[in-house]
Structure formats: structure tokens, C-alpha cells
């Protein structure tokens, strides 16, 4: 326990660790260790953000995808999935509703849908920024050319989420088909940051073939890259994928990793993810108590939510119809001494 505590201090001071020290921390996800990390992470979170938790309205606007990630239920080679795609008007309606509920960031996420190309996305971003000038727009639509990212940024998109999925080339190749390359993903992340996006990377915990050395590699990468946002959630199998019979990732290790990310980079925007909320009944609250400070409720139309099926039994995080401040989520956060913040919640904001 003493060595574990010393390594947490070193991580805080240096913003990173050598490989063998990461491996030591990652090998200790048990409660007493995790609690020590969580306590330190909570102190840092409160110092930086006080009791505020940022909320983002998530619009899952298309489950059509040209990619074939082995873990993902909306992969191209899943013939069982009914596909859908929202249009501009439907998305603006989601935002309209989201705005009334209190959201000031909209996250547009989809598969890599060829019919929602860069031009069309730019048009959408412009309309949303015009109609809701006090809101931030986050995109999460996969790999594009640098030129396209630039056009989206110029159209008014503020943030971009693109999980790196695995920073180890061999492990990356175990969970993706050969034509999807880690080098491409990394080049995209570099481009996004260069252009000026608040940039998010991240990975799943417990994907098939993942070992602690791979997670150490992810942490080393993030320590160098210094993303503005980090998305980490447990892997959860989807029955109609090649990994359909694999085990779920560990919730405990996910929670430890959230704390380690907070300690490594106290100012990072760190969501308690839907996957964590799916794996553990009170996963979102536990995530916040481990150092997360962002929650992303789904504001997509109810009819399509089940179809955006990345994994089985995806938990609902419905903002309700009474506004986010009066939602179940707000009550759950209040029960752990936190509250929802109404605002864009940009990277670098000091406190709520
Ligand atoms: N097409 C976009 C959005 C992908 S879905 C992109 O490429 O960025 C968003 C994230 O969900 C993925 O980055 C992945 O990390 C996560 N995800 C996909 N399948 C999952 C599964 N089976 N369990 C847990 N998370 C999953």
C-alpha cells in the first residue's frame, strides 16, 4: 500500500510514469488500493471543478458504418442490425429539446456513415452554432482527412472525440481488421489537436487480448499526448460480433483507471461513461466518485436509442422531460454531494 501511495504521488508530480510503475499500479485494482487512488483523484477534482459535473447531450445520429471493428455492434458486417440515420431537421429538434432541458454541449456521434460526409456535417454544425450560440458542438464521427477536420473546425465545431482504442499496434490489430491501422488513428488525433479542437482519446478496458502491458501503453500514450478529454469504459460484448461470447471488462479496473487519469492530468474532462453505467448499477456515480466530472445523457429520439447498439443491454441515461436540473441524474449526483452545471464546460475552465 505504501509503494502504491508513493507511485500515485509520483504520477501527480510528473504527469506520467515509467512502464514498470504503471504495471504495479494497474496490478492493484482491489478496493483498498482503488479507494486510495479515488480519494486523491476526488481531492484533485474538487480543487479544480468544485462539486460541479458537466453534462453533454449525446445525439447518436446514424448507426450506418463502413468500418468493421470486431468489438462493435454497429460494424458493417452485422447484418442483423436495423440501420437508421437522422436528418438535419431531426437533429436540430434533438438540440432544441436538449437546450430546453439545460444542455449547453451537443455531442454528435455516429458510425462512419458515407452519406453523412464532411460537407453535410459542416452545414449541420453551422446551423447548430447559429441557432444555439451559447452551446459547444462536439463531433465523434471517426477518421477523416485532416482537410475535412479543418473544415469542420472552421464551420464551428469545438471538440472531437476519437478514442485511440489501443496504443499498442499488436493489440490494436487484434481488435480491428487489417485495413484499420493504428497509425491512421494516431495521425487523426495529432491532426485534430493541431487544428485546435479540444481533443478526446480513450479506450475500452478488457477488450479480448488486452493485457496490463497494453493498458500501460495507453497510459504512456496519453501522458505524452495530453488530450483534453479521455473516454474510458469497460468492454461489453455484443452478441452479433466476433467478440459476442467474450467476457465483460472489469469495472474495478475501469474505476482505478479513471482515478489514475485524473491524478495524471487534473484538468482533463473525464466522463463517467454509459458503458460503466451499463456494467455497474451505480456505475456513473461510482465513476464520479473515482474522479470523473462529465456525464453524457442520451438525447437521441427514443425510437433510435436501442438501434445505436454498440454492445448488449446499453443502459439508458435519459435526461427526463423536466430538465436536467430536476432529472433522476441530478438527484443521484446530489446524493453524492455533486450537482449538474449548466454551461459549455470547456477544457481549461477553472471551476463551476
Ligand atoms: N465511429 C465513431 C464512434 C464510435 S462508437 C468513432 O470511430 O470514433 C464510440 C465508442 O464506443 C468507440 O470508440 C468504442 O471505444 C466504444 N465501443 C464500441 N463497442 C463497444 C463495446 N462492445 N463495449 C464497450 N464500448 C464499445
Amino acid at each position: 500500500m505504501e509503494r502504491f501511495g508513493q507511485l500515485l504521488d509520483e504520477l501527480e508530480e510528473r504527469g506520467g510514469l515509467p512502464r514498470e510503475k504503471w504495471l504495479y499500479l494497474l496490478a492493484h485494482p482491489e478496493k483498498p488500493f482503488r479507494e486510495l487512488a479515488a480519494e486523491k483523484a476526488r481531492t484533485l477534482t474538487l480543487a479544480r471543478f468544485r462539486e460541479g459535473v458537466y453534462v453533454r447531450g449525446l445525439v447518436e445520429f446514424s448507426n450506418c458504418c463502413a468500418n468493421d471493428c470486431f468489438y462493435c455492434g454497429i460494424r458493417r458486417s452485422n447484418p442483423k442490425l436495423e440501420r437508421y440515420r437522422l436528418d438535419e431537421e431531426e437533429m436540430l429538434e434533438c438540440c432544441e429539446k436538449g437546450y430546453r432541458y439545460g444542455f449547453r454541449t451537443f455531442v454528435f456521434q455516429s458510425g462512419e456513415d458515407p452519406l453523412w460526409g464532411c460537407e453535410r456535417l459542416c452545414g449541420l454544425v453551422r446551423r447548430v452554432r447559429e441557432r444555439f450560440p451559447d452551446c459547444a458542438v462536439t463531433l465523434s464521427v471517426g477518421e477523416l482527412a485532416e482537410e475535412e477536420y479543418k473544415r469542420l473546425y472552421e464551420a464551428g465545431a469545438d471538440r472531437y472525440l476519437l478514442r485511440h482504442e489501443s496504443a499498442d499496434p499488436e493489440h490494436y490489430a487484434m481488435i480491428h481488421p487489417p485495413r484499420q491501422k493504428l497509425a491512421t488513428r494516431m495521425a487523426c488525433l495529432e491532426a485534430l489537436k493541431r487544428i485546435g479542437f479540444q481533443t478526446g482519446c480513450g479506450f475500452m478496458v478488457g477488450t479480448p487480448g488486452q493485457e496490463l502491458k497494453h493498458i500501460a501503453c495507453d497510459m504512456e500514450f496519453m501522458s505524452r499526448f495530453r488530450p483534453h478529454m479521455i473516454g474510458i469504459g469497460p468492454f461489453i460484448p455484443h452478441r452479433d460480433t466476433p467478440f459476442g461470447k467474450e467476457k465483460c471488462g472489469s469495472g474495478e479496473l475501469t474505476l482505478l483507471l479513471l482515478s489514475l487519469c485524473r491524478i495524471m492530468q487534473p484538468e482533463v474532462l473525464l466522463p463517467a461513461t454509459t458503458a460503466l453505467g451499463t456494467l455497474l448499477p451505480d456505475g456513473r456515480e461510482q465513476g464520479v466518485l473515482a474522479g470523473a466530472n462529465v456525464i453524457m445523457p442520451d438525447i437521441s429520439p427514443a425510437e433510435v436509442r436501442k438501434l445505436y447498439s454498440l454492445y448488449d443491454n446499453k443502459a439508458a441515461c435519459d435526461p427526463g422531460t423536466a430538465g436536467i436540473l430536476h432529472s433522476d441524474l441530478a438527484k443521484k449526483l446530489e446524493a453524492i454531494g455533486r450537482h449538474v452545471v449548466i454551461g459549455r464546460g470547456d477544457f481549461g475552465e477553472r471551476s463551476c
Side-chain angles (χ1 to χ4, degrees), residues 71-72 109-110 142 162-163 165 185 204 234-236 310-311:
Y71 44 82
C72 183
Q109 188 178 85
S110 69
L162 183 71
R163 291 190 179 174
E165 313 293 4
R185 193 111 307 215
M204 289 165 281
F235 162 73
I236 300 173
L310 306 176
Y311 44 82

Side-chain angles (χ1 to χ4, degrees), residues 148-337:
E148 298 178 303
Y149 285 146
K150 209 175 273 166
R151 297 219 297 276
L152 288 164
Y153 186 76
E154 280 157 12
D158 303 275
R159 309 187 191 129
Y160 204 102
L161 302 175
L162 183 71
R163 291 190 179 174
H164 63 281
E165 313 293 4
S166 173
D168 179 280
E170 276 166 28
H171 181 239
Y172 193 91
M174 292 173 68
I175 61 176
H176 297 101
R179 57 174 284 276
Q180 292 176 235
K181 298 269 188 253
L182 176 58
T184 313
R185 193 111 307 215
M186 291 303 193
C188 286
L189 282 166
E190 295 290 348
L192 289 164
K193 218 173 170 199
R194 197 160 47 235
I195 289 164
F197 279 105
Q198 293 169 48
T199 303
C201 63
F203 61 97
M204 289 165 281
V205 178
T207 36
Q210 187 187 56
E211 297 171 32
L212 293 187
K213 68 175 186 198
H214 300 132
I215 301 182
C217 182
D218 291 318
M219 298 306 281
E220 286 165 10
F221 161 66
M222 296 197 295
S223 157
R224 280 195 307 279
F225 184 64
R226 300 198 70 80
H228 305 93
M229 305 171 285
I230 297 178
I232 295 184
F235 162 73
I236 300 173
H238 183 294
R239 60 193 171 291
D240 301 319
T241 64
F243 293 160
K245 296 220 153 51
E246 303 285 342
K247 302 197 299 292
C248 288
S250 154
E252 296 183 355
L253 186 54
T254 305
L255 290 166
L256 172 61
L257 284 164
L258 291 178
S259 300
L260 297 180
C261 286
R262 173 65 62 208
I263 295 167
M264 175 166 78
Q265 214 188 322
E267 71 284 15
V268 81
L269 295 166
L270 190 64
T273 55
T274 307
L276 186 59
T278 302
L279 185 73
L280 310 173
D282 52 352
R284 287 200 188 76
E285 294 93 298
Q286 286 202 56
V288 168
L289 290 172
N293 70 327
V294 174
I295 292 185
M296 300 168 67
D298 196 343
I299 61 167
S300 315
E303 321 83 76
V304 305
R305 280 186 206 166
K306 271 198 307 295
L307 297 176
Y308 196 79
S309 138
L310 306 176
Y311 44 82
D312 290 332
N313 307 315
K314 189 177 74 168
C317 184
D318 192 322
T321 51
I324 192 72
L325 292 176
H326 305 284
S327 61
D328 284 351
L329 170 67
K331 288 188 192 105
K332 286 181 183 158
L333 287 175
E334 271 150 37
I336 57 167

Side-chain angles (χ1 to χ4, degrees), residues 8 13 28 31 43 49 51 54 70 85 94 111 128 134 140 152 170 177 179 196 203 224 235 270 286 312 327-328 351:
L8 295 180
E13 274 157 37
H28 292 86
K31 186 139 189 204
T43 306
F49 302 99
E51 288 79 19
Y54 296 126
F70 298 154
R85 159 181 309 121
C94 291
V128 172
D134 56 341
S140 179
L152 288 164
E170 276 166 28
R179 57 174 284 276
F203 61 97
R224 280 195 307 279
F235 162 73
L270 190 64
Q286 286 202 56
D312 290 332
S327 61
D328 284 351
S351 64

